[in-house]
């Protein structure tokens, strides 16, 4: 993966490091390649900095062992403000306790020191890109939920418009069916609905995919992260999850997708199934 200098210049990060030598080396480089970098030399200062500039900061890179407030406790408090913010932990300590703490906090990357700057920068770009896409989808989803609520209220108040609204919804569903790669699966992973766009592209018949398990899809990359693992991550984090998979069409050709998996819930708040949207990576 090559670094896109234009993209780097759009990213604002917070870098927390108590070692003055590492801090100065990183400062001189990061200030040149990123749009803006907020620096902090301890967890307390990092927490205050994020609280002040949370609307600008898109990713946090932090050490663990620091004075006043360590990196783990800082992340815990920042998660209370924004649990979606991507976090990369860099530390010379690789013991299991630190790893378990990082995993519990859903830290996105754990990079041991000494850190290779290019590797760190690539991870920053990757996580920020996914964060932006997730926020965009989340904003769209919230807008759709608000619109759906308003439509339902209008349906109750103006019964005479119900037929028109149903026709409009049917029109939207037809557009989605014909132009969007989408799947609906139940909580066990069985595929209950596939868009025509998906079926035509992969050359499946209904009997080959409907009521089949999502894990039965031909997927070259699923040995690394299966759909079942993504489903469990969505349940654990209660978030929309974006993952990248290399799917194999019926003719044997391979296509890489970003797959957005969104859980939906029953009346008691339990996950009742998932909607998957697939974007081809060119």
């Amino acid at each position: 993966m090559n670094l896109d200098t234009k993209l780097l210049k759009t990213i604002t990060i917070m870098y927390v490091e108590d070692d003055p030598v590492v801090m100065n080396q990183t400062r001189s480089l990061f200030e040149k390649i990123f749009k803006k970098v907020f620096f902090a030399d301890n967890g307390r200062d990092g927490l205050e900095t994020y609280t002040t500039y949370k609307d600008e900061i898109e990713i946090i890179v932090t050490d663990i062992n620091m004075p006043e407030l360590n990196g783990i406790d800082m992340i815990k408090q920042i998660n209370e403000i924004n649990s979606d913010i991507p976090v990369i932990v860099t530390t010379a300590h690789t013991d299991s306790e630190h790893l378990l703490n990082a995993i519990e906090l859903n830290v996105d990357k754990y990079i041991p020191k000494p850190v290779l700057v290019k590797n760190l920068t690539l991870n920053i770009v990757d996580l920020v890109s996914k964060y932006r896409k997730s926020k965009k989808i989340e904003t769209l989803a919230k807008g759709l939920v608000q619109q759906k609520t308003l439509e339902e209220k209008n349906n109750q108040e103006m019964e005479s418009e119900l037929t028109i609204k149903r026709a409009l919804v049917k029109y939207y569903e037809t557009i989605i069916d014909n132009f969007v790669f989408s799947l609906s699966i139940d909580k066990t992973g069985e595929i209950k609905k596939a868009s025509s766009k998906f079926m035509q592209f992969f050359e499946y018949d209904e009997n080959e995919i409907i009521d089949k398990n999502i894990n039965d899809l031909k997927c070259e990359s699923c040995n690394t992260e299966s759909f079942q693992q993504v489903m469990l991550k969505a349940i654990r984090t209660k978030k929309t999850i974006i993952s990248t998979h290399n799917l194999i069409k019926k003719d044997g050709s391979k296509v890489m997708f970003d797959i957005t998996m969104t859980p939906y819930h029953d009346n008691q708040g339990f996950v009742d199934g998932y909607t998957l949207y697939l974007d081809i990576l060119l």
Side-chain angles (χ1 to χ4, degrees):
M1 176 181 177
N2 295 321
L3 288 172
D4 185 338
T5 54
K6 291 183 178 179
L7 177 59
L8 290 173
K9 281 297 183 182
T10 69
I11 295 174
T12 297
I13 76 172
M14 183 174 79
Y15 184 78
V16 190
E17 171 62 62
D18 68 320
D19 186 322
V21 175
V22 176
M23 171 67 83
N24 289 334
Q25 290 175 343
T26 306
R27 182 189 296 272
S28 63
L29 177 63
F30 277 13
E31 286 183 337
K32 293 177 183 176
I33 64 176
F34 291 109
K35 176 183 178 181
K36 187 183 291 186
V37 185
F38 294 98
F39 294 95
D41 57 11
N42 63 72
R44 182 67 60 193
D45 187 26
L47 177 60
E48 293 175 359
T49 299
Y50 182 79
T51 302
T52 303
Y53 300 102
K54 60 181 180 294
D55 292 334
E56 296 183 59
I57 296 169
E58 295 182 285
I59 189 167
I60 297 167
V61 181
T62 181
D63 193 7
I64 289 184
N65 286 333
M66 296 183 293
E68 296 193 41
L69 187 70
N70 66 45
I72 294 296
D73 290 334
M74 181 194 73
I75 296 167
K76 285 180 181 178
Q77 296 189 46
I78 287 176
N79 277 347
E80 294 177 2
I81 302 171
N82 179 8
S83 61
D84 294 328
I85 186 76
V87 177
I88 296 176
V89 166
T90 64
T91 182
H93 298 272
T94 56
D95 59 84
S96 59
E97 181 179 354
H98 285 109
L99 286 169
L100 288 172
N101 286 332
I103 292 170
E104 184 180 349
L105 290 171
N106 293 319
V107 168
D108 298 274
K109 290 288 180 181
Y110 190 97
I111 302 178
K113 293 181 178 180
V115 175
L116 296 176
V117 174
K118 183 176 181 181
N119 179 47
L120 176 58
T121 306
L122 286 170
N123 278 292
I124 289 173
V125 170
D126 179 57
L127 291 172
V128 168
S129 297
K130 291 179 179 178
Y131 177 65
R132 288 176 176 177
K133 183 178 287 189
S134 178
K135 294 298 286 184
K136 183 178 180 180
I137 292 171
E138 183 179 339
T139 300
L140 175 62
K142 287 180 180 178
L144 290 173
V145 168
Q146 292 173 354
Q147 183 177 350
K148 178 176 178 291
T149 302
L150 179 61
E151 294 294 347
E152 290 176 345
K153 182 179 180 181
N154 288 340
N155 284 342
Q156 294 173 356
E157 295 175 349
M158 296 175 281
E159 193 69 28
S160 61
E161 296 183 7
L162 185 58
T163 302
I164 297 175
K165 293 182 185 298
R166 283 177 175 169
L168 188 60
V169 170
K170 188 66 177 177
Y171 172 69
Y172 290 153
E173 289 177 346
T174 300
I175 292 177
I176 292 172
D177 187 55
N178 286 280
F179 294 98
V180 178
F181 296 102
S182 67
L183 293 171
S184 293
I185 62 176
D186 65 16
K187 59 187 176 182
T188 68
E190 285 193 1
I191 299 171
K192 296 302 178 183
K193 186 176 181 182
S195 69
S196 297
K197 178 77 171 178
F198 181 93
M199 302 284 281
Q200 291 169 3
F201 183 80
F202 284 92
E203 301 176 345
Y204 284 123
D205 296 325
E206 278 199 7
N207 63 340
E208 294 177 300
I209 192 165
I210 300 302
D211 292 330
K212 306 296 184 183
N213 195 278
I214 185 70
N215 289 308
D216 292 336
L217 287 181
K218 295 179 181 178
C219 173
E220 187 179 69
S221 58
C222 288
N223 288 334
T224 303
E225 183 176 40
S226 69
F227 289 111
Q228 190 71 33
Q229 289 173 310
V230 179
M231 290 163 63
L232 291 173
K233 189 184 295 184
I235 293 174
R236 188 180 74 250
T237 62
K238 299 180 180 179
K239 299 176 186 175
T240 292
I241 302 296
I242 301 174
S243 58
T244 302
H245 289 282
N246 203 7
L247 301 183
I248 303 173
K249 296 173 62 177
K250 193 174 180 179
D251 63 8
S253 59
K254 303 169 185 176
V255 184
M256 187 165 287
F257 289 90
D258 264 351
I259 300 180
T260 301
M261 181 182 290
T262 303
Y264 54 87
H265 303 80
D266 60 21
N267 293 333
Q268 296 180 320
F270 296 108
V271 172
D272 200 32
Y274 307 82
T275 301
L276 284 72
Y277 295 100
L278 293 76
D279 293 318
I280 294 179
L281 296 177
L282 300 178

